[in-house]
Each structure stands twice: as C-alpha cells, then as structure tokens.
Amino acid sequence: MKKLLLLPLLLASPIYADITSSISSSVKLEVAAPGTTADRIGNSYSVSGTGVTTTDGTTAGSLGGLGAATNGVNAYTPITASQLTDGESFSYTVSHTTGDTVATSLTTGEVSPFGDLTSTSGGTATNLAGTVDNHVITITAGSAGTTATGHYVTTLTVD
C-alpha cells in the first residue's frame, strides 16, 4: 500500500525555472597625462623691535615695507636700524619675502615660473597592450605611468 502512494507524487506537474547566464570580459588600458601644479609665493614683510631708531635713508622713524605691486611683486622699501641708546638693550627683527612675478602672457602648456612647482611627466604606452579572445584575457605591461586592468565576470541566475 505504501508503494502506491508514492506513484501519484512522481506523476505531478513538471517544475519550471528561469535560468539566465552571462559571461563578460574586458580590458582597460590607461596612460597617465602629464601635469603641473603651481602655488604662487606671495609678498610678505614683517618688522619688530625695541630700543632702536629706524630710517629708510630719507625719513627717520620709517618702518619700510611694501609698496605698489607690478605684475604681482610689491615694491620693497628697506630700512636701517640703529641702537637708540649706547649700552642699552635692544632687539630688532625684519623679514621680507619677494613674491612670484605673475606672467602677463602665457601660451597653452606654459607655466608661470612660480616658486613652488610640481610637474609629472606623462606615461609612455610603449609595450602596453591588452586583448580579449574567447574570454581569454592577455595583458602586457607598459612603461612608466601606465595601468592595465582585465576583468572576467560570470553570472548565473536561477529564478
């Protein structure tokens, strides 16, 4: 009797399923571009002191400093400091940085001669290669500044 009960279960409706399969392969080859970053150094002036007299050569008590700018560089008036009273303590500090000249006309690809430049050369594609043949990926390394990436992806979906 038990054998007869299994027979109807085996004769039940067929089971259906959606099956999706995909295979993809790719190769990506990159050659770095050349580039330059430039940071302009600005003008600065600082003076401090005690127990001194100052002059710019014409005016007593002058503190010197920065004047009008031409192409990004300020005119600079230096000063001379002398001890105010012989034998007394004194201190004097002056700091001056001349800024970078701003170029008035540059052509494409030219960079202003700023004080802080970083340049990188472009990559060279010499020997750089990649192929996909029937999902077999072949990559040949290039020269400096190159990148080669290969991808092989298989997907199987059963709903």
Side-chain angles (χ1 to χ4, degrees):
M1 186 74 171
K2 290 181 184 179
K3 291 181 184 178
L4 292 176
L5 289 176
L6 292 177
L7 187 58
L9 290 176
L10 294 175
L11 298 175
S13 303
I15 297 173
Y16 295 98
D18 290 328
I19 298 175
T20 305
S21 174
S22 69
I23 300 172
S24 66
S25 301
S26 66
V27 172
K28 177 179 168 184
L29 306 174
E30 296 177 298
V31 178
T36 299
T37 59
D39 293 321
R40 181 175 176 263
I41 295 175
N43 300 279
S44 69
Y45 178 78
S46 167
V47 62
S48 66
T50 60
V52 294
T53 60
T54 60
T55 181
D56 63 5
T58 305
T59 308
S62 173
L63 296 178
L66 301 177
T70 303
N71 293 338
V73 177
N74 291 93
Y76 170 60
T77 303
I79 58 171
T80 302
S82 304
Q83 187 177 18
L84 185 61
T85 306
D86 290 344
E88 295 288 324
S89 65
F90 70 95
S91 70
Y92 174 73
T93 304
V94 66
S95 171
H96 171 245
T97 301
T98 300
D100 292 327
T101 301
V102 177
T104 56
S105 64
L106 294 174
T107 60
T108 302
E110 231 181 344
V111 178
S112 283
F114 289 159
D116 186 3
L117 293 173
T118 303
S119 290
T120 55
S121 60
T124 306
T126 306
N127 299 327
L128 180 64
T131 61
V132 176
D133 184 15
N134 199 23
H135 301 294
V136 174
I137 298 172
T138 304
I139 295 176
T140 304
S143 299
T146 62
T147 305
T149 308
H151 288 279
Y152 180 81
V153 179
T154 303
T155 305
L156 178 64
T157 305
V158 178
D159 287 332

